[in-house]
Structures are given as structure tokens and as C-alpha cells.
Amino acid sequence: MLTNADVIELTEFRHHLHRHPEVSGQEEWTAAQVVQALEPLRPHRIVTGLGGHGVAALWEGAEAGPTVMFRSELDALPIEERTQAAHRSTLAGKGHLCGHDGHTTILTGLARLIARRPPVRGRVVLLFQPAEEDGSGAAAVLADPRFAALRPDWAFALHNMPGLPLGHAVIAPGPANCASEGLRIVFRGRTAHASMPETGVSPATALAALMPAARAAGNGGAVEPGFRLVSICHARMGEPAFGITPGEGELWLTLRTLLDADMAALRDEVMGLARQLAAQHGLEVAFTHHDRFAACTNEAEASRAIRRSLDALGIGHDGQGLPMRASEDFGLFGSVARSAMFLLGAGETRPALHNPDYDFPDDLIAQGVAIFDRILRDLLD
Ligand SMILES: [Zn+2]
Ligand SMILES: [Zn+2]
């Protein structure tokens, strides 16, 4: 168990990270703070620069056994924080508004317990993953050749969740998060003087028609197999000037499906609609793809391991609200390990994740460490 001194130091560490948020792919300072916290704990190995600015710490037990990985995220968001906390962000336009500072602190707390009592058998990997918010980090870590030596048999993660009672857990086997991706559609025609619009090729009509048509490609129903959602996120056309008609315009959409297998069909359908409208209106069309997240599924045995830990600690849990529409790149670790992720309530009145008023509840630090530690002892002692 953590001592009171641990909890005080870990809370300070969380506030330290919180003051200096770094967005996806730029977590250099945060990674350095993590390494500084890990080094005195003498893991058998620390790997840095993993899939970008990722850090992994490895402890080995005396006997052979499975490798158990716990994962947190290093990145913050390009959103201005608007809390009055003494530890609020000192960097304009950036904030730890998803609680990744808290998740990272939980893993450094777990590192303290592992250092004091290394696993009897097998290996423990603590992965501080970069770039979760743009969906690129888990894939980059998996693609890093140095990850092969850390390859886990089991992988666990948690995410705090405002709206749920503080400390209440949500976990269920099966689908947990939807697949999602950003699709940017650019129409190109030709500008014209506003007095002679017929001499140009404007994307206006195609863009206007594409919005309801793309949205109708989703079904917006219950989050169950077959679920498809198309959200219109951004649109832009021409210049803010009355003298010309536009020669280009673009639309940004987010596509969501519960199953990875359904994503390609939804993407093809929306791109087909755009191509059809472009042809009708004499426009060129180009596509770019962004923020791709695979679906996240909780493996049955890994989910059971989490539930055993929660039960042993007397922490209430259920499977309410799963699967979620939101995405999470942790699911990719399911391709190499038995993996599962649980939600930990951040309080019913806490502002939502990514909200400018959000801040991670420090009360979850000790609880998160205890849950992970229990899972670890269950599998490796
Ligand atoms: Zn987030
Ligand atoms: Zn997050």
C-alpha cells in the first residue's frame, strides 16, 4: 500500500505535470519528468523515446511467468484550461483536460509499490504512452522495434470518467469503445467575380448537399453491432469577401462504428457521396484521413482480472454505459495481449473530459494504484 507520504508526493507530482501540459507528439518534458520519477526506483530497464516520447519501465521476477503491462497516456490537449486551481496550466492554449496527468501519476505510484516488492514471477511493464489524443500513439509504440522485447501477455489501463460517482468502476467484457476516424473532404473548382458566378465553378451546392447526405449515412442508433455515426465537425468555403464566389471548400467529418469491420464500408459510402456530388458539379475532390482509432474490446479473462481486483478491494462496479461512442487507442494492444480497460468515476458533478473546467480528482490516485497493484499480485505472485 501507498503511505501517506507517497500520496502527498504523488499529488504534488500530478500538479507538477498539470502545470506543463504537452500535446500529442510533443511530450518531451513530461517524459523526462516520468524518467526522473522512475530512476530512483531502479527498474531493471527503462526504455525512452518509444513510439515518439513514450517511456517504458520493466521489472523482472525471479521465476519465469507472463508479462503484465499497465499503460497510461502522457499527452494533454490543445485546449485552454479555465479552472482556478493553484496548479492550473501555465501554457496558453494547452491543458491536461483528459486527466492523463492523473493516469501517469497512478503508474508512477504503482512503480513505487513494485520497487518495494518486485513480482515473484514474470515481468511487469509500465508503459507511459505518447499521443493518445490523436490516436497515433499506441500504433507507434507497437510499431517501435524495441517494443518486441517488452511484448505483454496481459495489458491493462484505466480512464477516469466524470458523471460517474467518485471511485465507482465500470468494466464489462466485450466491445468498450467505438472505432472512429476523421475524414477531410476538399472540393476544388474555380473562383469567379461575384457579378459573374456562372463563369466559376463553386463548391457551394455540393458542400450543402453533402452535409445532410453524409449524416444520413450513419444510423445514430444504439451502440451495438451495426452502429454507424457521421458527425459534421467543421466546414469552410472560399474567403470572407463579397467580391468573389468560392473556388474551393472543405468539410471535416468524424466517422464512428462499433466494429472495425464496418468502418471501411462507412468510409467508402461517404467518399462515394462526395465523388458523386463532385462529378455532378464539375469539381475535383480530394480526401485526407486523420485521427484513426481502432475499436477497443475488453478480453474476457483480462476483464475478469480487473473485476477480481475491484471485488477484493470492495470497490463497486457495473457495466453501465458500455460500449461507449467515444474512442480510445488502447484497443490496439488487444492485438498482442489479453487486454481490458476500466473506467473509474471522477464524480457526478465534475465537468466532462476535454471541458475547459475539467481537472483530474486527486482522490483517484491512491485508488487507481491499489486496483492495478491488486491485478498485478493476482497474476504474478
Ligand atoms: Zn481525451
Ligand atoms: Zn483520455
Side-chain angles (χ1 to χ4, degrees), residues 297-368:
T297 302
N298 288 331
E299 192 272 336
E301 281 303 317
S303 305
R304 250 194 288 280
I306 292 173
R307 283 171 160 172
R308 276 200 302 274
S309 166
L310 295 169
D311 287 339
L313 294 166
I315 296 169
H317 60 89
D318 57 43
Q320 295 270 320
L322 293 179
M324 301 168 72
R325 283 183 171 189
S327 301
E328 162 60 60
D329 77 352
F330 178 71
L332 278 183
F333 292 106
S335 62
V336 298
R338 291 172 180 269
S339 73
M341 178 172 199
F342 64 97
L343 304 176
L344 203 50
E348 281 148 303
T349 58
R350 188 162 298 267
L353 299 173
H354 296 202
N355 187 297
D357 293 332
Y358 168 86
D359 186 22
F360 181 86
D362 288 316
D363 292 341
L364 295 185
I365 295 173
Q367 193 187 13

Side-chain angles (χ1 to χ4, degrees), residues 74-87:
L74 293 171
D75 55 339
L77 286 155
I79 302 172
E80 178 91 13
E81 176 178 351
R82 297 198 192 281
T83 74
Q84 292 307 311
H87 56 267

Side-chain angles (χ1 to χ4, degrees), residues 77 98 100 132-133 354:
L77 286 155
C98 205
H100 297 179
E132 190 283 328
E133 293 289 357
H354 296 202

Side-chain angles (χ1 to χ4, degrees), residues 38-51:
L38 292 172
E39 268 170 350
L41 303 172
R42 301 183 160 276
H44 292 102
R45 207 186 314 161
I46 296 180
V47 181
T48 59
L50 200 61

Side-chain angles (χ1 to χ4, degrees), residues 46-204:
I46 296 180
V47 181
T48 59
L50 200 61
H53 292 299
V55 177
L58 172 80
W59 279 267
E60 293 176 19
E63 301 164 24
T67 299
V68 181
M69 185 179 93
F70 298 90
R71 172 275 217 173
S72 78
E73 321 88 321
L74 293 171
D75 55 339
L77 286 155
I79 302 172
E80 178 91 13
E81 176 178 351
R82 297 198 192 281
T83 74
Q84 292 307 311
H87 56 267
R88 67 183 171 271
S89 171
T90 58
L91 302 178
K94 294 178 194 171
H96 261 299
L97 303 175
C98 205
H100 297 179
D101 51 341
H103 305 164
T104 288
T105 300
I106 288 170
L107 280 212
T108 62
L110 181 62
R112 290 180 180 217
L113 298 188
I114 298 167
R116 285 170 205 162
R117 188 156 79 86
V120 173
R121 61 191 197 100
R123 310 188 304 164
V124 189
V125 173
L126 303 185
L127 171 65
F128 301 83
Q129 182 204 299
E132 190 283 328
E133 293 289 357
D134 68 4
S136 69
V141 167
L142 281 160
D144 191 312
R146 288 169 310 153
F147 188 69
L150 304 168
R151 192 183 165 110
D153 300 294
W154 299 85
F156 299 96
L158 67 76
H159 207 295
N160 78 97
M161 191 52 62
L164 294 174
L166 189 70
H168 178 81
V170 170
I171 170 73
N177 298 83
C178 286
S180 74
E181 62 179 61
L183 175 63
R184 179 171 167 249
I185 302 169
V186 181
F187 288 124
R188 285 204 178 82
R190 195 170 58 246
T191 55
H193 192 280
S195 66
M196 291 185 290
E198 68 279 11
T199 64
V201 180
S202 166

